[in-house]
Amino acid sequence: MSEHIGSHIADYDPDWPRQAAAAMDALRAAVPGLFVEIEHIGSTAVPGLAAKPVIDLMAAVHDLTHARPHRAALARLGFHPHDNGMTDRLLYVRAQDGVRSHILHVVTLESWPTRNQRIFRDHLRAHAADAARYSRLKRVIVAAGTPPGAYARAKTALVQELTDRARARLGLPSVPVWEKR
């Protein structure tokens, strides 16, 4: 099965939070007690922000090994393991007809408070000018015909800049936002 991300940026859809909430409810019901925390992250979690129409979720577990026995339950919801080179989490992708609709990042509870994705989301929610700047960059990258595999890399400099600013405000050191091997 293809796990194509899609190559278009959509205007903000006010239904994205409902879609995320429905997926989070289904995940909690399918694996009761596994996830200590679960949140909607990524661009679809920022009101008004243009995004690839993929619902990103992040869930925290006490230990990553606790999630592995629940692979079948996650698969019944359409979430299948995916290796994209990130070594500090488990990643699951839900796709329909070869097009991703959801991504689930499973991380440790210990790392939860300082996760860049959560900090970046919160920064964009609180700083409309930065969210608009990020939205413009994403549209330029896609309009330039950047291949899906290079899309995330093309955003890295701006994401790093904004995340560093947000982390500094929280008294946290800079850490790389590019997490793939």
Side-chain angles (χ1 to χ4, degrees):
M1 169 172 68
S2 168
E3 289 172 349
H4 178 64
I5 294 173
S7 57
H8 77 283
I9 300 295
D11 289 337
Y12 180 76
D13 184 339
D15 193 50
W16 286 336
R18 185 207 56 79
Q19 292 173 33
M24 290 186 291
D25 288 346
L27 286 162
R28 284 187 199 101
V31 289
L34 175 63
F35 301 127
V36 181
E37 301 280 354
I38 187 166
E39 291 181 357
H40 185 194
I41 63 166
S43 293
T44 60
V46 179
L49 186 63
K52 288 193 175 199
V54 177
I55 304 297
D56 279 292
L57 305 173
M58 183 170 276
V61 294
H62 288 288
D63 188 290
L64 292 179
T65 61
H66 296 170
R68 289 192 175 94
H70 299 282
R71 272 184 150 176
L74 295 172
R76 283 191 291 278
L77 295 177
F79 286 94
H80 299 280
H82 178 74
D83 179 10
N84 74 343
M86 293 184 196
T87 59
D88 65 338
R89 75 194 68 202
L90 300 174
L91 195 66
Y92 299 87
V93 172
R94 178 195 276 177
Q96 185 170 357
D97 300 323
V99 178
R100 287 182 185 175
S101 63
H102 294 72
I103 299 173
L104 172 64
H105 303 254
V106 178
V107 301
T108 63
L109 183 59
E110 178 183 19
S111 70
W112 184 258
T114 59
R115 281 287 168 175
N116 280 336
Q117 295 87 349
R118 296 179 66 245
I119 291 168
F120 183 59
R121 174 210 54 205
D122 292 347
H123 176 82
L124 293 178
R125 284 176 171 173
H127 297 88
D130 286 342
R133 185 175 164 209
Y134 184 51
S135 185
R136 284 190 303 273
L137 174 65
K138 293 191 300 178
R139 289 185 187 279
V140 165
I141 291 167
V142 169
T146 305
Y151 171 80
R153 179 64 91 175
K155 301 183 305 178
T156 299
L158 180 59
V159 172
Q160 186 73 58
E161 173 195 328
L162 299 178
T163 302
D164 283 350
R165 193 178 321 145
R167 290 180 69 86
R169 262 196 299 282
L170 296 170
L172 298 170
S174 173
V175 294
V177 297
W178 186 259
E179 300 172 313
K180 296 179 184 180
R181 284 184 246 129

